[in-house]
Amino acid sequence: QQKVQQSPESLSVPEGGMASLNCTSSDRNFQYFWWYRQHSGEGPKALMSIFSDGDKKEGRFTAHLNKASLHVSLHIRDSQPSDSALYFCAASEPGNTRKLIFGLGTTLQVQP
Amino acid sequence: NSKVIQTPRYLVKGQGQKAKMRCIPEKGHPVVFWYQQNKNNEFKFLINFQNQEVLQQIDMTEKRFSAECPSNSPCSLEIQSSEAGDSALYLCASRGTGGPLYAEQFFGPGTRLTVL
């Protein structure tokens, strides 16, 4: 079973609209989460991290973490066609390695 | 922008052939990770290094996989005898050791391996 689950698998929003992506962890050891974005032909690039309960805002992007339910979300305000990409939620595994455990991603399409 | 360099970008091998890919981590980043991303977007952690030492590795898929990060040379990941199931995007990432406890990992563009 995936330790990090994302929904929806794909999402289409109009330009200027709001995109909402969801992520749930099944492992309570995971306390630190990242959102990564991957455009076609590129490697993933970090958008933001979150480890405190509540909201964290960076420009048009807002992440929300609920530690009790291990639910993380990402909201993209005023979506642009350049936001069309694969979005991954990743949890940092605690310990010396701190490797990332990724979900299967959400494909976002922003329609001009 | 990430300065993790991966070569080659594309690699095509026949079954049973060796496949070798290289990674130059971002300057000043002593921790290097290798991940495999398959066509279903599943990420699989393979191995990571701090400087030249292995921190953690998976069972290296029946010992066909080997990796190293020698000093003053690129890191490398090699598959001794490629199988069709090894076809994937191989991503190298690096991070520093200072700063926040869970520092950002910076990814390269990946090496796309196709095993025919």
Side-chain angles (χ1 to χ4, degrees):
Chain A
Q1 182 195 1
Q2 284 280 123
K3 287 190 173 184
V4 175
Q5 296 179 308
Q6 291 186 243
S7 64
E9 281 187 24
S10 63
L11 180 63
S12 182
V13 299
E15 184 174 355
M18 173 78 83
S20 295
L21 292 69
N22 297 295
C23 172
T24 303
S25 171
S26 60
D27 190 330
R28 292 213 161 268
N29 290 316
F30 294 163
Q31 295 288 306
Y32 208 105
F33 295 88
W34 288 89
W35 283 100
Y36 275 80
R37 179 166 75 179
Q38 185 178 27
H39 284 106
S40 181
E42 298 179 6
K45 182 177 177 182
L47 288 172
M48 59 197 303
S49 63
I50 188 165
F51 64 96
S52 297
D53 267 322
D55 292 338
K56 181 179 180 182
K57 186 178 178 182
E58 291 188 6
R60 296 184 296 110
F61 299 88
T62 300
H64 177 82
L65 172 61
N66 181 324
K67 281 192 171 182
S69 61
L70 289 179
H71 181 257
V72 192
S73 58
L74 178 70
H75 305 278
I76 307 173
R77 172 178 59 83
D78 188 24
S79 297
Q80 301 298 308
S82 58
D83 293 327
S84 297
L86 256 174
Y87 287 77
F88 291 99
C89 173
S92 280
E93 189 175 80
N96 193 28
T97 306
R98 299 176 209 156
K99 65 178 184 277
L100 292 173
I101 308 299
F102 285 85
L104 294 180
T106 293
T107 300
L108 173 64
Q109 188 73 34
V110 180
Q111 306 288 346
Chain B
N1 287 331
S2 174
K3 299 291 192 293
V4 177
I5 298 170
Q6 289 191 249
T7 57
R9 292 292 307 273
Y10 300 92
L11 196 53
V12 180
K13 294 292 178 181
Q15 295 201 46
Q17 290 187 318
K18 278 187 187 179
K20 188 168 186 174
M21 54 204 83
R22 291 174 177 82
C23 169
I24 300 175
E26 193 151 333
K27 192 174 182 181
H29 284 186
V31 184
V32 174
F33 298 79
W34 285 99
Y35 295 90
Q36 178 196 65
Q37 182 184 12
N38 69 17
K39 62 178 181 179
N40 297 318
N41 291 322
E42 292 170 304
F43 283 76
K44 182 180 182 180
F45 165 82
L46 297 176
I47 191 169
N48 78 322
F49 295 84
Q50 181 155 349
N51 298 313
Q52 293 80 52
E53 301 299 319
V54 174
L55 288 180
Q56 187 180 8
Q57 62 181 0
I58 62 162
D59 192 21
M60 293 309 261
T61 53
E62 304 99 49
K63 314 295 186 201
R64 293 185 299 109
F65 285 59
S66 62
E68 62 176 3
C69 267
S71 66
N72 301 316
S73 292
C75 297
S76 64
L77 177 68
E78 185 172 52
I79 307 172
Q80 297 300 320
S81 178
S82 301
E83 297 177 356
D86 298 331
S87 295
L89 183 68
Y90 290 84
L91 291 160
C92 176
S94 71
R95 67 168 171 81
T97 52
L101 184 62
Y102 293 94
E104 178 182 347
Q105 291 183 26
F106 293 83
F107 284 81
T111 292
R112 184 163 298 281
L113 172 66
T114 302
V115 182
L116 302 173

